[in-house]
Amino acid sequence: MVELNKGLTSDALNDTSDALSLLETRRSASAKAMTAPGPRGEQLDRLLNIAVRVPDHGKLTPWRFIVFEGEARERAGDIVAERYHELHPGHGEETLEVQRNMFSRAPCVVGVVSAATTDHPKIPEWEQLMSAGAVCQNMLVAATAMGLGAQWISGWFAYDRQVLTAFGLADSERIAGFIYLGTPAQLQDDRPRPEPASLTTRF
């Protein structure tokens, strides 16, 4: 049993009885241990509607979504594997297969694209980037509240411009995160969390 802040144990994690309990206990699932079903239809729509309810200085909407589900996950995996082979031609088929299955580990993957602009006269790019991060966190919390497993992943391909272009991103866009969504196949133990008091000063 993992001892946590406030005496919580791993059995109490992901307590969805109310909003504060969920925020106190939420932890990520493992994409490697997700099965079907994932969010689809109205559930996915609701998840995205919740995701966009974040601070957005200037109402710029500096983010968008790419949904990978069904066969699209395999197409995305082929792009990742092909690019990986170009970068690492000496690696064998076993390693390429791991890359090819990157998007097939969960039934649904949502790419959160940061579309921040660097030349806005009033809104700093940094604030737009943080807004995209808030979108990712909203999605994690909402998915957990729905009983789904969720994990925020980047991966090397999130920073490879050739892969991002193949995924439909403009040169000015970046990936804030890939949110893997599905049904958790096993309970994940919590990791050690820092004590806020050790990180807090008063001015």
Side-chain angles (χ1 to χ4, degrees):
M1 197 69 69
V2 179
E3 291 296 330
L4 304 171
N5 293 339
K6 299 185 178 180
L8 293 173
T9 64
S10 60
D11 289 340
L13 292 178
N14 286 351
D15 181 352
T16 60
S17 60
D18 60 73
L20 290 179
S21 295
L22 174 58
L23 291 170
E24 286 177 326
T25 60
R26 188 216 67 84
R27 87 287 202 195
S28 296
S30 171
K32 297 178 181 179
M34 288 184 193
T35 62
R40 302 195 67 176
E42 292 182 1
Q43 188 180 37
L44 181 57
D45 290 343
R46 187 181 187 192
L47 188 60
L48 297 180
N49 281 328
I50 293 171
V52 303
R53 298 189 67 87
V54 296
D56 175 14
H57 188 187
K59 303 176 184 177
L60 300 180
T61 315
W63 19 257
R64 63 185 183 87
F65 304 108
I66 303 175
V67 176
F68 302 85
E69 55 187 355
E71 294 182 358
R73 297 172 303 152
E74 297 176 9
R75 296 198 304 271
D78 288 341
I79 290 170
V80 169
E82 182 178 349
R83 177 58 173 159
Y84 189 88
H85 183 59
E86 291 177 3
L87 296 172
H88 308 282
H91 287 201
E93 182 57 35
E94 183 176 345
T95 302
L96 290 178
E97 189 65 15
V98 171
Q99 299 301 318
R100 191 172 290 112
N101 289 327
M102 279 293 178
F103 283 80
S104 298
R105 291 183 290 178
C108 179
V109 180
V110 178
V112 179
V113 177
S114 170
T117 179
T118 60
D119 57 0
H120 194 279
K122 292 184 178 180
I123 315 301
E125 180 188 20
W126 174 238
E127 294 185 9
Q128 301 171 57
L129 296 174
M130 289 193 292
S131 184
V135 167
C136 294
Q137 182 65 9
N138 256 23
M139 196 177 304
L140 289 181
V141 173
T144 304
M146 292 177 179
L148 296 165
Q151 187 174 22
W152 179 352
I153 296 176
S154 53
W156 66 268
F157 44 88
Y159 303 96
D160 186 276
R161 183 48 55 182
Q162 185 168 314
V163 171
L164 298 185
T165 298
F167 284 173
L169 274 71
D171 290 343
S172 60
E173 294 180 321
R174 288 180 278 183
I175 286 290
F178 293 105
I179 311 299
Y180 284 66
L181 300 162
T183 300
Q186 63 188 46
L187 178 68
Q188 291 297 112
D189 286 334
D190 199 15
R191 60 178 170 81
R193 305 288 177 169
E195 288 292 339
S198 67
L199 306 170
T200 305
T201 59
R202 283 179 167 77
F203 186 72

